[in-house]
Amino acid sequence: MNTEQKTEPNDGSLVRGLTNRHIQLIALGGAIGTGLFLGIGPAAVLAGPSVILGYALAGIIAFFIMRQLGEMVVHEPVSGSFSHFAYKYWGNFPGFASGWNYWILYILVSMAELTAIGHYIHFWWPEIPLWVSSLFFFIVINALNLASVKVYGETEFWFSIIKVVAIIGMIVFGIYLLLSGTGGEKASISNLWNDGGFFPKGFFNKGEGGFSGLFAAMAMIMFSFGGLELIGITAAEAKNPEKTIPKATNQVIYRILIFYVGALVILFALSPWREITEGTSPFVMVFQNLNGFSLNIFGNTIHFNVLIANILNLIVLTAALSVYNSSVYSNSRMLFGLAQQGNAPKFLKKLNKNSVPTNAILISSCFAGICIIINKLVPEKAFEYLMALVVSTLIINWLMICYTHLKFRREKDRAGVKTSFPSIFYPISNYICIIFLLTILVLMSITGMEIQVILIPIWLAFLFLMYKLYKPKAK
């Protein structure tokens, strides 16, 4: 595959239109999405405050994987990075399977985010059906991505700015509520341990509803980190990828500590964990319930709980739109990369006058649009089902990144090539990540998600069949 990407449009190559600020905010925004704002609900119900530890552990694993991917991407900044590396350093079928699995992964992510958008719109207008909200934003986001990579970059830049400022503001405001005593009578840092302890449901206890505890919540927690690897997809359209990608990758661990661990500590301190429910954003719910917070301005008492809840709902809506925006972008670039390899139909390599893979966006949008039908038929269960399926494809993707990196490093070591952005603790970190991800699969199989685990080998067998039927030609 040609690793040199031209800067002029209409030459069959992607344009390097993403600047340093775009890359930094795209990576930053990838850490803040629906998994944090909405997905924390089911995980908190299963494990209580101990999900804080779960997010920290999963975050470290995600960081290791990001460094492994980052080493390969900086060395070879190409489109369809996951598929390209598996194809080149592992074999034809791994490249084919990696690319199409990632594409399906973000089709499912797109569906989940479109569903989440409907939930957030319900907060203001419960009379609007989920599928109507999904359809509206489905059209808007796809139209933006069809314009140019710079339009995507600018849109994602401002989406991420809103999310980052909001999370920092929420953490600071939450600290103020706790220290000033204006967070209500239930607000206390002791909420982290005074109702059954930090592990109120243990690590792996069996309750009335089946298994519970931190281990049972880990699959849900993993979903939250599904956007971090997006930085690898931007490599072919990033200016100075050898500088911008390492910087963005190294910031992942700090983002996880600040935006996940910090925000969750505040969340559980402001409200007892048993009051968190699965159906809405815990962040919105907690601040909406702050009836004790008020200010006296010119003799008038103003209650801010409802205002704050509305602002937060706007923020989490922005987060969902951001992730969906990135899903549309990453899916089209993955299809473009697969087509360059010969692992997808040639018509997917078509670029418009702004060097945007138009056909790849349109094909991806058709499949993601299935979400609108799902939301019309089973709106109350759509997000739960889609998130579970996302975890399965995400684990396959991460396992393939870890193993592909092992093969990548072995070949470079044999050739005596020193990469400029080596991963951390190679190869020990690779094996740690692989064992962790396989453990997640075991936990899924015994905590009510066995169907998703069973579907993994079936899905891989289907990919192998498609590979044999399609007979991709090596370039």
Side-chain angles (χ1 to χ4, degrees):
M1 181 182 298
N2 181 17
T3 60
E4 293 297 326
Q5 302 293 324
K6 308 295 183 183
T7 57
E8 298 85 2
N10 299 320
D11 66 348
S13 301
L14 299 176
V15 171
R16 293 194 180 276
L18 298 176
T19 64
N20 179 61
R21 66 183 179 90
H22 292 141
I23 297 298
Q24 296 302 316
L25 268 296
I26 287 171
L28 190 57
I32 311 170
T34 306
L36 172 62
F37 290 116
L38 190 61
I40 183 60
V45 170
L46 282 171
S50 63
V51 295
I52 298 172
L53 176 60
Y55 273 92
L57 292 174
I60 292 173
I61 297 298
F63 178 62
F64 284 155
I65 296 173
M66 284 301 301
R67 284 298 301 260
Q68 292 160 21
L69 176 61
E71 179 175 7
M72 295 187 291
V73 166
V74 171
H75 191 71
E76 298 178 48
V78 296
S79 61
S81 60
F82 314 133
S83 176
H84 166 79
F85 298 123
Y87 181 71
K88 181 176 181 179
Y89 296 101
W90 192 352
N92 291 347
F93 173 65
F96 180 91
S98 177
W100 284 107
N101 177 76
Y102 184 79
W103 183 77
I104 286 294
L105 162 62
Y106 268 94
I107 288 295
L108 293 172
V109 168
S110 297
M111 292 179 174
E113 298 302 332
L114 284 170
T115 301
I117 288 167
H119 283 290
Y120 298 140
I121 295 298
H122 263 198
F123 180 82
W124 292 307
W125 301 289
E127 68 277 6
I128 297 179
L130 282 177
W131 70 270
V132 173
S133 302
S134 300
L135 178 60
F136 175 78
F137 288 105
F138 169 83
I139 294 172
V140 171
I141 295 300
N142 278 281
L144 290 173
N145 275 267
L146 284 169
S148 72
V149 68
K150 288 185 177 180
V151 171
Y152 160 73
E154 283 299 318
T155 303
E156 193 57 30
F157 175 83
W158 289 108
F159 276 159
S160 297
I161 285 287
I162 293 172
K163 291 189 294 183
V164 171
V165 171
I167 284 291
I168 294 175
M170 190 197 72
I171 293 173
V172 172
F173 183 57
I175 292 173
Y176 165 76
L177 292 174
L178 291 170
L179 295 179
S180 65
T182 55
E185 58 183 19
K186 295 181 180 180
S188 171
I189 193 67
S190 63
N191 284 332
L192 294 174
W193 61 80
N194 68 359
D195 187 5
F198 187 70
F199 298 94
K201 294 191 176 183
F203 283 93
F204 201 61
N205 296 332
K206 190 172 184 179
E208 296 179 359
F211 286 101
S212 62
L214 177 59
F215 284 178
M218 287 306 298
M220 294 293 182
I221 292 172
M222 287 300 297
F223 170 78
S224 301
F225 299 100
L228 293 176
E229 74 281 355
L230 176 65
I231 191 69
I233 297 295
T234 66
E237 294 172 282
K239 295 180 179 178
N240 301 317
E242 68 283 354
K243 295 181 179 179
T244 58
I245 290 178
K247 184 177 180 180
T249 301
N250 284 331
Q251 289 179 348
V252 168
I253 190 64
Y254 304 109
R255 295 197 294 268
I256 290 170
L257 291 176
I258 294 173
F259 297 122
Y260 280 91
V261 177
L264 290 175
V265 168
I266 296 299
L267 172 68
F268 283 100
L270 288 174
S271 178
W273 68 270
R274 294 187 189 276
E275 295 185 4
I276 297 176
T277 60
E278 298 184 16
T280 187
S281 168
F283 293 93
V284 174
M285 182 201 70
V286 167
F287 281 91
Q288 188 178 30
N289 292 336
L290 292 177
N291 294 316
F293 179 69
S294 63
L295 290 176
N296 188 286
I297 301 178
F298 301 116
N300 297 314
T301 300
I302 301 177
H303 297 278
F304 281 92
N305 58 308
V306 176
L307 175 61
I308 291 169
N310 277 276
I311 293 175
L312 278 175
N313 198 64
L314 177 62
I315 299 306
V316 294
L317 173 61
T318 301
L321 290 171
S322 170
V323 176
Y324 177 55
N325 186 41
S326 293
S327 297
V328 173
Y329 169 81
S330 61
N331 262 345
S332 61
R333 272 54 180 184
M334 180 55 73
L335 281 185
F336 178 82
L338 283 167
Q340 283 187 317
Q341 297 168 9
N343 283 328
K346 292 181 179 179
F347 78 93
L348 293 172
K349 292 195 294 184
K350 180 181 178 181
L351 302 176
N352 65 13
K353 63 180 181 179
N354 294 321
S355 296
V356 172
T358 308
N359 289 342
I361 290 178
L362 294 176
I363 291 297
S364 298
S365 66
C366 288
F367 281 88
I370 296 173
C371 165
I372 299 170
I373 300 175
I374 295 176
N375 281 331
K376 184 173 178 59
L377 297 177
V378 285
E380 65 282 347
K381 289 292 184 179
F383 184 77
E384 178 183 345
Y385 292 153
L386 292 172
M387 188 163 68
L389 290 171
V390 164
V391 171
S392 297
T393 51
L394 176 64
I395 288 176
I396 293 174
N397 181 54
W398 282 2
L399 282 170
M400 296 191 80
I401 290 174
C402 293
Y403 188 70
T404 299
H405 178 259
L406 283 172
K407 299 185 75 65
F408 166 85
R409 277 295 299 266
R410 287 168 185 166
E411 180 167 322
K412 297 305 174 185
D413 290 345
R414 283 196 299 268
V417 175
K418 297 294 184 180
T419 59
S420 61
F421 187 51
S423 65
I424 297 177
F425 305 134
Y426 164 82
I428 296 175
S429 63
N430 296 70
Y431 297 125
I432 290 175
C433 293
I434 291 172
I435 293 172
F436 179 88
L437 294 171
L438 292 176
T439 301
I440 291 295
L441 291 179
V442 174
L443 295 175
M444 289 171 63
S445 68
I446 56 179
T447 55
M449 300 175 70
E450 61 274 6
I451 297 300
Q452 287 74 31
V453 177
I454 293 172
L455 285 175
I456 290 177
I458 296 176
W459 167 239
L460 291 175
F462 173 78
L463 285 175
F464 185 74
L465 177 62
M466 292 298 100
Y467 170 78
K468 288 298 184 180
L469 292 175
Y470 187 68
K471 295 181 179 179
K473 298 178 181 180
K475 291 190 65 177

